[in-house]
Structures are given as structure tokens and as C-alpha cells.
């Protein structure tokens, strides 16, 4: 029988100044110059893909830190915003640069805005629609789609880049439909 003591979380649910939150906010702050770098470069580059990789993996890192030190309401609010900021910003930067077509980017941005408003309105009615595993997959595929375009060895693989873009759009729309379906079911229950 394992009788190891359970470690108390370092932070309670109401904490704001946590390492996980600092990492999440840093991710959003450092994304801004990275978006500028992506827009101003004409092609894939190692600095851009390295920055993208670092910012992408910090999503998992801030979650790991939060689970070890104590999850917070502020972290639960900030982390999805940072995910959306990074993914949507990457899509928009590549559309501005001409690597992504505006239609799929518009579908992704439209879905993210719509679902944010939908969750907010559902929350006002007492309906909670937390992220599920499908949402994490969606974010990872979105980040991967941007990373593929930024990765220099895949610069000329336009067909593969297009497949990744539309795969990200598909995950984005399916996960959005799942959230709407869950909200509708909870509203009639």
C-alpha cells in the first residue's frame, strides 16, 4: 500500500502571480515580435521556426507547471487566450505574407471568435463548456500547420503545407461544432 504523502499545491485557485501564468503571459508577449518576423521575411527561416517551436511547446509547459504547483482560475482563463492568440496570430501573419489563403484563415478566425462569444453567452446562463481533448488536438494541429510553413526544409512543399492548413481548418470546425453541440444539449437538459 502506497502511503506517500500527497503534496499540497503551491498555489490556490484564486492565485494570480504564478509561474505558469507568467509563462503564459510571456508567451503572448514574445509572440508579437515573432509575428512581425514572420510577416517581414519572404521565406521560411530558422529563427522564425525556432521561435515558433519554443512558443508552441510552452503551451504544454505552462500546463505542466500549473498541474504541479496548483491550477488557478486565472490560468484556466489565460491559457486558452494565449493558445488562440498564438494560433490565430500565426495564421494571420502567414496570410499577410501570402503563404496561407484568406478563406481558410477566415474560417479559423471566425470560428475562434464565434466560439469565444458562444462560451461567454453560455456561461452567463450557467452552462460551462470547458475545453476537451479535441480542442487540444485542434490547437496542436493549428500550431503544426504554421510550423510546417516556417520550417526551411519544407519551404517548397506547398502541397503538404496546403494539406496541413486544411487539416487545421477541419479540426477547428469540428471542435467548434462539438462545443456548440454540447452547449445545445446542456441548454435543453
Amino acid at each position: 500500500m502506497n502511503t506517500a504523502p500527497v503534496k499540497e499545491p503551491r498555489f490556490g485557485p484564486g492565485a494570480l502571480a504564478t509561474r505558469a501564468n507568467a509563462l503564459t503571459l510571456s508567451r503572448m508577449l514574445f509572440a508579437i515580435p515573432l509575428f512581425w518576423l514572420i510577416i517581414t521575411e519572404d521565406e521560411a527561416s530558422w529563427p522564425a521556426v525556432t521561435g515558433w517551436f519554443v512558443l508552441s511547446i510552452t503551451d504544454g509547459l505552462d500546463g505542466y507547471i500549473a498541474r504541479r504547483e496548483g491550477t488557478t482560475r486565472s490560468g484556466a482563463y489565460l491559457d486558452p487566450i494565449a493558445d488562440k492568440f498564438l494560433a490565430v496570430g500565426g495564421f494571420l501573419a502567414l496570410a499577410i505574407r501570402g503563404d496561407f489563403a484568406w478563406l481558410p484563415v477566415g474560417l479559423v478566425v471566425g470560428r475562434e471568435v464565434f466560439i469565444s462569444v458562444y462560451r461567454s453567452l453560455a456561461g452567463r446562463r450557467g452552462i460551462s463548456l470547458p475545453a476537451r481533448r479535441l480542442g487540444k488536438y485542434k490547437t496542436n494541429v493549428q500550431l503544426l500547420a504554421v510550423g510546417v510553413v516556417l520550417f526551411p526544409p519544407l519551404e517548397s512543399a506547398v502541397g503538404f503545407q496546403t494539406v496541413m492548413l486544411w487539416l487545421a481548418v477541419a479540426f477547428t470546425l469540428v471542435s467548434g461544432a462539438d462545443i456548440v453541440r454540447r452547449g445545445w444539449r446542456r441548454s435543453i437538459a
Side-chain angles (χ1 to χ4, degrees), residues 127-156:
I127 299 170
S128 174
L129 296 168
R132 291 178 22 167
R133 192 172 301 268
L134 182 58
K136 274 294 178 193
Y137 294 153
K138 180 255 323 172
T139 299
N140 289 333
V141 173
Q142 287 175 338
L143 297 177
L144 183 60
V146 173
V148 163
V149 176
L150 300 177
F151 190 52
L154 296 176
E155 184 173 17
S156 62

Side-chain angles (χ1 to χ4, degrees), residues 52 55 95 122:
W52 188 258
L55 289 178

Side-chain angles (χ1 to χ4, degrees), residues 4-163:
V6 176
K7 185 178 176 186
E8 279 294 313
R10 183 174 174 190
F11 299 104
L16 290 172
T18 68
R19 291 188 322 156
N21 286 351
L23 184 57
T24 299
L25 291 171
S26 296
R27 182 165 41 130
M28 291 194 309
L29 181 66
F30 288 114
I32 295 167
L34 179 60
F35 297 151
W36 181 252
L37 177 66
I38 292 168
I39 291 168
T40 57
E41 291 186 327
D42 292 336
E43 56 192 24
S45 74
W46 289 108
V49 76
T50 301
W52 188 258
F53 177 75
V54 169
L55 289 178
S56 295
I57 64 167
T58 57
D59 178 33
L61 183 60
D62 64 7
Y64 172 78
I65 292 170
R67 285 186 297 278
R68 288 193 56 133
E69 295 184 349
T71 57
T72 64
R73 287 185 294 277
S74 58
Y77 176 76
L78 289 173
D79 185 60
I81 290 173
D83 291 347
K84 286 176 185 14
F85 183 72
L86 186 59
V88 166
F91 271 68
L92 288 171
L94 289 174
I96 290 167
R97 193 169 91 174
D99 290 304
F100 279 173
W102 282 102
L103 174 63
V105 172
L107 291 171
V108 168
V109 172
R111 179 271 190 206
E112 296 298 353
V113 170
F114 173 79
I115 291 300
S116 294
V117 170
Y118 183 79
R119 275 187 164 140
S120 176
L121 294 173
R124 288 182 183 176
R125 294 186 323 213
I127 299 170
S128 174
L129 296 168
R132 291 178 22 167
R133 192 172 301 268
L134 182 58
K136 274 294 178 193
Y137 294 153
K138 180 255 323 172
T139 299
N140 289 333
V141 173
Q142 287 175 338
L143 297 177
L144 183 60
V146 173
V148 163
V149 176
L150 300 177
F151 190 52
L154 296 176
E155 184 173 17
S156 62
V158 176
F160 180 63
Q161 293 173 3
T162 302
V163 167

Side-chain angles (χ1 to χ4, degrees), residues 142-185:
Q142 287 175 338
L143 297 177
L144 183 60
V146 173
V148 163
V149 176
L150 300 177
F151 190 52
L154 296 176
E155 184 173 17
S156 62
V158 176
F160 180 63
Q161 293 173 3
T162 302
V163 167
M164 288 304 301
L165 170 62
W166 284 104
L167 183 62
V169 170
F171 267 90
T172 301
L173 296 177
V174 167
S175 68
D178 178 61
I179 291 167
V180 170
R181 180 189 57 81
R182 286 189 290 133
W184 182 75
R185 282 188 173 173

